[in-house]
Amino acid sequence: MFASLGRLIESVQPLYLVNILLGFTITICVLIVAAGKHRDLMIWASGFALYVLAFVLFGLRSELPLMVSVIGGNGALGFMFAMFVEGLARLYRVPISRWLIWLPPLLSVVGFVILLDDFDSRVILGVVTSTYHSILVLFLVFKGLFSTTGRGRWVIFFAIVFHASVLLIRALLIISAVIDGSGFLSPSTEQTVYLSMSLSTVVMFAFGLLVVYKERAESDAWREAHFDPLTNVSNRRVLKHRLQGLSLSHERSSGYCAIILLDLDNFKSLNDTYGHTVGDRLLVLAAQRIKHNLDVSDEVIRLGGDEFLILLEHLGDDMDDAEIKALNVAKRMLEILCQPYQLDVDGDDGKPTLHLEYKVTASMGIELFQCKDANREAVMSAVDQSMYKAKQSGRNAISCRGRICS
């Protein structure tokens, strides 16, 4: 058994063997990273596994029937490219027809079966297939370069550009009859260039891929730590950081900032009557209304339940003017939040969905403070009292500096 295995290994040319071992190692590493965490990485692991299979079949062509080596090896390469195209489309969220991905490798397999005894025609078919996939992956990485962020995308970009460039140059040389493609099968300059290129680009590509997923995992973790998962607005941690930043950036300024604390009136009755799912839908809509009607420099934060906070900066050095600006924002928000909400209530026991028009009001408190003196505990205590004063006045009101303003 070991003698037979040794003979098989000896029959594989060194550069093929290196690509096989490297591809197998990368496949195992990607599988370990993907296990239970990144389902999309399984696509890449499958692609790298097909890469290994292709080089095994090509490397053992002297030991295998021609049909197995030619059809299996070229089929594995074709579906490897398809896997990578599928992976890139998902990675960069680029919409693309699945027919453009999976039909060409299927057709190429059929073509290799038909042209099994015609080496020159098989070479041309391989050139057409590799050129098609090269153009497709170049399109996807160019789209991804401008639609995503991070350093990993650049590593993938250069790996794909390098690999596609070599394939396209090789295709051009074959079409121009400078080379005939047979150099790929035995030790030669063509084989050395092509297999060394495969070796370097697959390492670069795998490294870039893992960097991209690492960057995305870090970005997701940061987002989970700073954003409310239901409404997708900032959370208490962001408020703490923003207030700390205000006190540092305005150390020598007497400019005013403001906090508006708002609580949705009649929200509990919605939850009690129609359930928390419907209540959550209203909270999402309310958060969107607030966020879409604020300046870029302002911040909306969900404190929890039906309480939201709006942080206003750069209101000027005059306290009365700052109050007017904050009141204008609060009145605009009150008007927006009081407009009816269109909610869908899922029916029970097969009953049709109920389309509900629901209205809420809001109670708001406003606290003005000098930005350089932004103290989270003091500011929050004051604005909390102000908001409760608005509630005690009958709700649907705004309280500022100890008086009801609407």
Side-chain angles (χ1 to χ4, degrees):
M1 175 181 176
F2 290 106
S4 299
L5 181 61
R7 184 172 60 83
L8 285 175
I9 293 175
E10 286 179 359
S11 68
V12 179
Q13 296 171 29
L15 282 175
Y16 279 98
L17 187 59
V18 172
N19 274 273
I20 291 168
L21 293 175
L22 178 69
F24 179 77
T25 303
I26 291 175
T27 302
I28 297 300
C29 291
V30 175
L31 281 173
I32 292 173
V33 174
K37 294 183 179 180
H38 302 290
R39 291 180 58 187
D40 282 353
L41 272 177
M42 295 300 295
I43 295 175
W44 300 108
S46 300
F48 288 121
L50 288 171
Y51 175 89
V52 174
L53 177 61
F55 277 99
V56 168
L57 294 174
F58 287 141
L60 294 175
R61 64 186 177 280
S62 62
E63 306 293 329
L64 298 172
L66 183 64
M67 178 175 287
V68 175
S69 177
V70 171
I71 298 174
N74 285 285
L77 275 183
F79 282 102
M80 177 203 76
F81 277 117
M83 285 286 186
F84 284 0
V85 172
E86 177 77 32
L88 286 170
R90 295 191 183 194
L91 183 67
Y92 296 134
R93 299 180 178 90
V94 178
I96 184 171
S97 172
R98 292 302 179 267
W99 288 104
L100 294 176
I101 299 176
W102 297 104
L103 184 59
L106 284 172
L107 293 177
S108 69
V109 169
V110 174
F112 280 111
V113 171
I114 296 172
L115 302 172
L116 184 61
D117 297 321
D118 188 343
F119 176 78
D120 292 336
S121 297
R122 293 205 316 264
V123 170
I124 297 300
L125 178 58
V127 165
V128 172
T129 303
S130 62
T131 300
Y132 171 81
H133 281 112
S134 296
I135 294 173
L136 201 55
V137 295
L138 282 172
F139 165 75
L140 290 172
V141 295
F142 271 106
K143 291 278 287 186
L145 193 63
F146 298 104
S147 63
T148 57
T149 59
R151 291 171 290 182
R153 65 192 171 119
W154 285 103
V155 180
I156 291 177
F157 173 78
F158 286 118
I160 292 295
V161 168
F162 178 56
H163 187 85
S165 298
V166 173
L167 286 178
L168 293 173
I169 291 171
R170 179 174 180 267
L172 183 61
L173 292 175
I174 291 175
I175 293 172
S176 304
V178 176
I179 59 176
D180 60 6
S182 61
F184 172 75
L185 301 175
S186 57
S188 63
T189 302
E190 181 185 345
Q191 186 193 74
T192 302
V193 170
Y194 184 81
L195 296 187
S196 298
M197 173 273 299
S198 295
L199 192 65
S200 59
T201 55
V202 76
V203 172
M204 187 186 302
F205 185 84
F207 177 74
L209 191 65
L210 294 178
V211 170
V212 166
Y213 277 91
K214 177 178 179 293
E215 289 175 336
R216 289 197 173 182
E218 291 173 348
S219 177
D220 290 343
W222 184 90
R223 187 166 188 82
E224 288 178 5
H226 293 84
F227 283 82
D228 176 58
L230 174 64
T231 59
N232 201 33
V233 299
S234 302
N235 61 16
R236 290 176 179 268
R237 180 174 293 184
V238 174
L239 174 63
K240 179 180 179 180
H241 291 167
R242 288 291 294 266
L243 290 178
Q244 288 176 344
L246 283 175
S247 62
L248 294 174
S249 61
H250 293 79
E251 285 181 349
R252 300 180 181 178
S253 171
S254 58
Y256 282 91
C257 298
I259 279 184
I260 302 173
L261 178 62
L262 65 92
D263 183 271
L264 299 179
D265 304 321
N266 307 319
F267 178 74
K268 185 178 184 299
S269 61
L270 175 69
N271 268 344
D272 292 343
T273 305
Y274 298 103
H276 289 280
T277 300
V278 179
D280 287 346
R281 291 172 185 165
L282 186 141
L283 289 175
V284 171
L285 294 174
Q288 290 175 350
R289 291 185 184 184
I290 298 170
K291 186 175 182 178
H292 293 160
N293 288 276
L294 287 177
D295 292 337
V296 176
S297 61
D298 300 328
E299 189 83 55
V300 55
I301 293 159
R302 185 187 177 205
L303 298 180
D306 59 343
E307 280 193 344
F308 293 90
L309 181 146
I310 301 171
L311 175 61
L312 305 176
E313 300 183 28
H314 314 301
L315 298 180
D317 296 334
D318 183 82
M319 188 173 187
D320 292 332
D321 288 343
E323 180 182 343
I324 292 172
K325 292 177 182 177
L327 272 173
N328 288 337
V329 173
K331 290 176 181 178
R332 184 170 76 248
M333 291 301 156
L334 188 61
E335 180 182 354
I336 291 168
L337 290 171
C338 290
Q339 294 176 6
Y341 295 85
Q342 304 299 323
L343 303 172
D344 291 334
V345 182
D346 298 329
D348 296 328
D349 300 327
K351 294 180 180 178
T353 300
L354 172 66
H355 300 287
L356 175 68
E357 182 176 278
Y358 196 81
K359 293 183 179 181
V360 296
T361 57
S363 299
M364 300 187 186
I366 300 176
E367 178 63 18
L368 297 170
F369 58 95
Q370 287 191 319
C371 301
K372 65 179 182 180
D373 298 326
N375 180 288
R376 181 172 179 270
E377 287 74 18
V379 170
M380 288 302 299
S381 177
V383 76
D384 197 54
Q385 293 177 18
S386 185
M387 188 269 288
Y388 274 104
K389 186 168 186 177
K391 275 192 172 295
Q392 291 170 356
S393 71
R395 303 186 178 186
N396 193 28
I398 301 172
S399 173
C400 180
R401 295 173 67 179
R403 65 182 189 279
I404 301 299
C405 302
S406 68

